[in-house]
Amino acid sequence: MQLLNNILITLSVVFLAIALFVVLASLLKHRCILIKLVCLEMLVNLFICWVGLWALKVDFYLLLDICIALSLVMFLSTVAYCQLLTKRHN
């Protein structure tokens, strides 16, 4: 069972690395501020996923609470930034 967990975690890290390159390419390619905002949000999501996988690998589950707190802060900052952009646009 431990071998299967290690294989799945390694496979997940590979997929996260591929997603990281796609998001960074999209961040550098587009000029629209909203697309860049989505890319930055995806970068934080990828970081949260990486920390969650690391917490599962080393059996330190306190890091999962940190991931939840970080995702809440990320959501609130995205909403605040979108409201700021909407006020500037109007």
Side-chain angles (χ1 to χ4, degrees), residues 34 78-90:
L34 294 176
T78 303
V79 168
Y81 194 66
C82 286
Q83 285 181 350
L84 177 72
L85 287 177
T86 341
K87 287 181 182 176
R88 284 189 182 178
H89 184 62
N90 292 334

Side-chain angles (χ1 to χ4, degrees), residues 13-70:
V13 168
V14 168
F15 284 137
L16 284 176
I18 293 170
L20 177 71
F21 287 124
V22 169
V23 169
L24 286 176
S26 179
L27 183 67
L28 295 175
K29 178 182 176 187
H30 296 288
R31 295 215 180 266
C32 179
I33 191 74
L34 294 176
I35 294 176
K36 288 188 179 225
L37 179 66
V38 170
C39 289
L40 289 174
E41 186 174 344
M42 281 301 299
L43 281 175
V44 174
N45 281 329
L46 290 172
F47 176 72
I48 290 171
C49 290
W50 181 80
V51 170
L53 284 173
W54 188 60
L56 292 175
K57 184 166 179 70
V58 297
D59 293 331
F60 189 62
Y61 298 111
L62 180 66
L63 290 175
L64 296 177
D65 294 335
I66 294 171
C67 289
I68 292 171
L70 185 60

Side-chain angles (χ1 to χ4, degrees), residues 64-77:
L64 296 177
D65 294 335
I66 294 171
C67 289
I68 292 171
L70 185 60
S71 64
L72 290 173
V73 169
M74 180 194 63
F75 173 73
L76 290 176
S77 65

